[in-house]
Amino acid sequence: MNHVTLLTRGFSTLVSLYPLHFREEFGEEMEAVFSAQVDDQDDYGPLPIVAICLHEIPDLLINLLREHLSEFARRSGLGNIFQGKPVPNLLWWGALVFGLGSGIGKTIGLLTGLSTLKFGDYTFWAVLASFLSALLFTGAQTWLFWQGSSQRENKWGFLVPVVGATLTSLLTLLLSIRYMPMGPLYDRGEWWFWAIDWPLLSTMLWGLVFGALFGWVYQGRQAIFRFAAIGAMGRALAFILWQGSMAITYRVFHITDELPHFVAVNVWFLLWNLVLVILGGMAFGALIGWQASREEKHSPMDGVAV
Amino acid sequence: MTPSDLPLSEQTFFILLSLASAPRHGYAILKDVQQLSDGRITISVSTLYTSLKRLLEQGWIERVERDTPDESGRPRKEYRLTRAGHRILSSETTRLQGLLQAARQRLPQEP
């Protein structure tokens, strides 16, 4: 086997890493062009061939990555967002964004909140951090749903993330003020108290207001009550999931201190909290998105994809 | 064509320019671009086909299959400019001419 064939084979192997449809359309041509290029330069010694390879390989790796990203964007429908086209699989993307966003947001809030309680009065920063993080996740979700909505002309759309974020920061403020040591309660098997106490009601209120606003912006007045109910239920479910799992966590880690320390166990505590909140957020996002998808499917307006 | 299509990248401009006179296959485009740019631009094979894919999707070029096969016996695939491709190339050329004209008016002429 001569070096031209060897190089062409190596190039073919790299081309085989391209997404299938690209490979099927251009793979053979690319190999033929590369082979012709190497063949042409073969008479001038090894240097021009080395130059071709040095030029080709980094470019190919970058283009490979670009093609895979573009394939991912095409298949998932995410590419449509950046082209202003309706987004398929909106429900799942909305749920994912909301889940990830609320997980990260709530963990930031929790970290700041715990700092507030343990190291001094940082309530202002806790409220600000939760406002900004909530603005991020409610904003991202709203924007995502907006892409597939038939109600884009509604000028009050911006209220959804703003109200969502304000409600979250109010909740953080309330939690900072009303915080009570949970460890001993969990340890005494009284976690249910926390699951039905005011944190649940306040989070349901969050879902109620956010859901109602979301429904109004996306579907109009007739959808306010439906979305309010779904918002409240979704938040309640997410909260109970989080709270119940945290009770188990407390038992597993035997946390009995008034406040967990910021070493060792807290890394796991925060990571576990992050996972739970993401799951809870995704459940909430999926519920809202599912309802929005159903409504959009029945919408008489054209050009709406769900 | 939308306003966001312009300006074209140098590579895209030269690929379109290469196809303006006649349909060409991949390797011929590579060599022609190098010649047109006085050896300044050398496009890699992967970049060429990534660009061709995008240009096909945009409808600026189209693929034609020649009856005469290539050396390996496969049908030779060539690319040619579409009407939309011609339009965008003309618009870009006009834009570049405008820039050149403005620069010439302001910059002192070299002796």
Side-chain angles (χ1 to χ4, degrees):
Chain A
M1 189 190 297
N2 68 15
H3 59 277
V4 176
T5 320
L6 197 71
L7 281 173
T8 310
R9 283 214 181 155
F11 185 79
S12 306
T13 311
L14 287 174
V15 170
S16 69
L17 299 175
Y18 269 92
L20 182 68
H21 90 274
F22 187 94
R23 216 163 61 221
E24 281 179 350
E25 200 172 349
F26 302 108
E28 276 188 3
E29 275 183 78
M30 285 173 78
E31 286 164 29
V33 172
F34 180 78
S35 168
Q37 212 177 12
V38 174
D39 230 6
D40 266 7
Q41 298 298 322
D42 199 29
D43 297 337
Y44 304 102
L47 275 181
I49 295 181
V50 171
I52 290 174
C53 293
L54 286 178
H55 183 217
E56 193 60 57
I57 292 169
D59 262 19
L60 193 138
L61 294 176
I62 292 167
N63 286 315
L64 190 65
L65 184 70
R66 191 179 288 166
E67 279 311 315
H68 274 288
L69 285 175
S70 116
E71 177 72 3
F72 171 73
R74 189 183 66 83
R75 289 174 79 117
S76 62
L78 271 190
N80 290 15
I81 291 175
F82 303 104
Q83 293 163 12
K85 293 177 189 166
V87 184
N89 306 322
L90 204 61
L91 160 64
W92 303 112
W93 286 115
L96 188 70
V97 164
F98 194 86
L100 287 174
S102 58
I104 294 162
K106 200 159 182 175
T107 305
I108 294 170
L110 190 74
L111 267 174
T112 331
L114 285 176
S115 309
T116 300
L117 294 155
K118 200 165 175 69
F119 299 119
D121 188 10
Y122 297 117
T123 310
F124 169 75
W125 296 108
V127 171
L128 186 69
S130 51
F131 179 82
L132 292 176
S133 56
L135 192 66
L136 190 76
F137 69 77
T138 48
Q141 193 201 25
T142 306
W143 179 70
L144 197 60
F145 279 120
W146 199 250
Q147 301 301 313
S149 172
S150 57
Q151 305 285 321
R152 289 192 201 190
E153 69 277 13
N154 193 324
K155 62 181 177 185
W156 299 107
F158 73 95
L159 275 180
V160 178
V162 172
V163 169
T166 310
L167 287 171
T168 307
S169 54
L170 276 175
L171 266 183
T172 308
L173 185 66
L174 284 173
L175 279 167
S176 296
I177 295 167
R178 275 288 310 267
Y179 185 85
M180 282 166 67
M182 285 189 281
L185 286 172
Y186 284 133
D187 226 35
R188 290 201 300 270
E190 293 176 26
W191 63 269
W192 55 269
F193 171 80
W194 281 91
I196 56 168
D197 194 61
W198 66 272
L200 172 62
L201 295 176
S202 52
T203 204
M204 281 179 77
L205 190 66
W206 189 105
L208 191 88
V209 177
F210 183 80
L213 194 63
F214 190 95
W216 173 61
V217 166
Y218 282 100
Q219 314 294 339
R221 263 185 214 167
Q222 75 284 358
I224 289 179
F225 292 111
R226 247 191 330 276
F227 273 87
I230 284 171
M233 277 190 323
R235 284 296 287 192
L237 273 173
F239 184 80
I240 288 169
L241 171 76
W242 180 69
Q243 201 74 355
S245 314
M246 286 311 289
I248 297 166
T249 313
Y250 269 79
R251 278 198 173 278
V252 170
F253 288 119
H254 300 294
I255 298 172
T256 52
D257 286 352
E258 284 195 355
L259 283 170
H261 296 294
F262 276 86
V263 282
V265 74
N266 277 345
V267 176
W268 296 107
F269 174 83
L270 288 172
L271 282 176
W272 180 232
N273 174 71
L274 183 69
V275 171
L276 292 177
V277 177
I278 286 175
L279 288 176
M282 281 176 75
F284 174 72
L287 258 176
I288 284 266
W290 166 69
Q291 186 64 23
S293 305
R294 274 185 41 159
E295 299 275 334
E296 285 289 342
K297 268 182 188 159
H298 296 116
S299 165
M301 297 185 77
D302 291 325
V304 180
V306 179
Chain B
M1 189 181 79
T2 61
S4 61
D5 290 331
L6 294 180
L8 297 178
S9 71
E10 224 175 356
Q11 277 180 0
T12 306
F13 178 77
F14 277 117
I15 292 173
L16 293 178
L17 193 62
S18 164
L19 298 175
S21 52
R24 286 177 210 276
H25 55 81
Y27 191 39
I29 300 173
L30 279 188
K31 291 214 281 196
D32 198 39
V33 166
Q34 207 169 4
Q35 203 180 352
L36 281 169
S37 64
D38 286 333
R40 203 166 47 80
I41 294 175
T42 311
I43 306 177
S44 66
V45 179
S46 59
T47 302
L48 173 71
Y49 281 94
T50 305
S51 304
L52 289 178
K53 180 193 164 218
R54 190 172 45 79
L55 295 174
L56 282 167
E57 283 169 355
Q58 281 171 311
W60 295 352
I61 62 169
E62 61 192 359
R63 192 187 266 139
V64 276
E65 287 200 7
R66 288 274 168 220
D67 293 335
T68 47
D70 64 9
E71 297 79 29
S72 60
R74 287 186 292 253
R76 189 186 283 272
K77 287 170 185 164
E78 291 187 339
Y79 299 88
R80 76 169 162 223
L81 220 53
T82 60
R83 204 173 277 189
H86 271 291
R87 263 203 306 273
I88 196 97
L89 189 60
S90 305
S91 304
E92 179 66 354
T93 309
T94 311
R95 191 188 70 82
L96 290 172
Q97 272 170 344
L99 289 179
L100 196 64
Q101 208 173 353
R104 279 199 177 134
Q105 278 171 1
R106 287 291 172 96
L107 290 173
Q109 295 291 313
E110 282 184 23

